């Protein structure tokens, strides 16, 4: 049933666009009840995101043995999904919806975004263990450097993103993450100063705790 719901959602996003998509349409074409959909997905936006990009939990990352290789493998996986027609239909409307719906924004941050940052935290942790990085880097910043750049190229600049560009993005992100790790290793406190308004991502905290426990 899950496959049928998501396949139908992708088809309808391609046909009518995300703004015009309704859960009723998906339920009718998929031959399921609306209750079955809402038991699986909290909203139309969540259903559409899972159908076009990824589920709340990402599959395990296949380690390549290098920071650049791991980042390249990750961004290639995301490129295939994010460049698909259904994702291109979804992204602009979903971005607008997230900007005006705090509840939806919070849910996406706590589920999908957290899963993506956790993948970066794992990659960074492995790079530190191999000695490629001088220390940990906030996974939120690594996420911004790589997937943020990919999303901008696809959905804002509307660039024809091909594999050479994806490779260049991974190379640039590798350089940026390495530079941040070097700067953090030579700078003062490893943890953000207390009493400030500086936001720290859950991914950063998890990565820092793992680093301090080794």
């Amino acid at each position: 049933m899950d496959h049928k719901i998501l396949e139908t959602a992708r088809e309808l996003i391609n046909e009518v666009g995300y703004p015009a998509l309704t859960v009723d349409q998906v339920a009718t074409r998929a031959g399921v009840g609306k209750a079955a959909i809402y038991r699986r997905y909290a909203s139309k936006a969540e259903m559409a995101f899972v159908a076009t990009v990824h589920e709340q939990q990402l599959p395990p990352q296949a380690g390549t043995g290098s920071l650049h290789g791991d980042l390249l493998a990750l961004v290639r996986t995301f490129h295939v999904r994010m460049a698909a027609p259904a994702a291109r239909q979804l992204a602009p409307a979903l971005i607008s919806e997230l900007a005006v719906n705090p509840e939806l924004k919070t849910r996406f941050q706590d589920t999908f975004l957290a899963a993506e940052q956790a993948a970066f935290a794992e990659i960074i942790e492995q790079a530190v263990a191999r000695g490629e990085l001088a220390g940990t880097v906030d996974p939120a910043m690594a996420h911004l450097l790589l997937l943020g750049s990919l999303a901008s190229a696809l959905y804002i600049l509307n660039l024809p993103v091909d594999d050479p560009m994806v490779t260049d993005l991974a190379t640039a992100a590798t350089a940026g993450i390495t530079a941040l790790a070097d700067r953090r290793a030579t700078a003062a406190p490893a943890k953000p100063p207390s009493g400030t308004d500086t936001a720290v991502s859950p991914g950063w905290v998890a990565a820092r705790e793992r680093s301090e426990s080794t």
Side-chain angles (χ1 to χ4, degrees):
M1 182 181 293
D2 289 347
H3 175 75
K4 185 61 176 177
I5 292 171
L6 298 179
E7 181 181 43
T8 301
R10 282 191 295 271
E11 291 174 355
L12 286 167
I13 290 171
N14 282 326
E15 292 174 15
V16 304
Y18 173 72
L21 177 72
T22 67
V23 174
D24 281 325
Q25 291 172 329
V26 176
T28 299
R29 182 177 294 191
V32 301
K34 285 177 61 177
I37 294 178
Y38 282 117
R39 279 197 299 269
R40 291 163 172 78
Y41 312 107
S43 65
K44 179 186 85 168
E46 185 171 316
M47 175 187 67
F49 190 88
V50 173
T52 59
V53 186
H54 68 76
E55 298 183 4
Q56 290 187 19
Q57 297 297 324
L58 295 176
Q61 302 301 308
T64 66
S66 74
L67 175 60
H68 180 266
D70 288 349
L71 292 175
L72 180 57
L74 182 66
V75 74
R76 276 176 169 162
T77 297
F78 271 89
H79 174 237
V80 170
R81 298 172 180 176
M82 292 170 64
R88 285 182 174 273
Q89 283 273 1
L90 168 68
L94 180 56
I95 290 170
S96 297
E97 189 172 345
L98 289 169
V100 298
N101 187 331
E103 183 178 348
L104 182 63
K105 176 184 174 182
T106 297
R107 179 164 176 81
F108 266 68
Q109 288 175 333
D110 292 344
T111 53
F112 302 111
L113 188 59
E116 293 173 10
Q117 290 182 0
F120 279 91
E122 181 180 354
I123 289 173
I124 291 167
E125 181 182 17
Q126 291 172 352
V128 171
R130 288 192 300 265
E132 283 189 87
L133 292 177
T136 60
V137 172
D138 185 350
M141 180 57 67
H143 178 275
L144 177 62
L145 287 171
L146 188 55
L147 295 188
S149 296
L150 177 63
S152 177
L154 287 170
Y155 306 140
I156 299 175
L157 301 177
N158 292 311
L159 298 177
V161 180
D162 55 13
D163 193 65
M165 181 181 289
V166 168
T167 302
D168 286 345
L169 288 176
T171 300
T174 301
I177 291 169
T178 301
L180 288 171
D182 289 343
R183 187 177 69 176
R184 185 179 295 278
T186 57
K191 295 181 179 179
S194 61
T196 69
D197 293 329
T198 303
V200 180
S201 72
W204 189 93
V205 174
R208 190 70 214 170
E209 289 175 347
R210 284 194 293 270
S211 173
E212 292 176 346
S213 67
T214 57

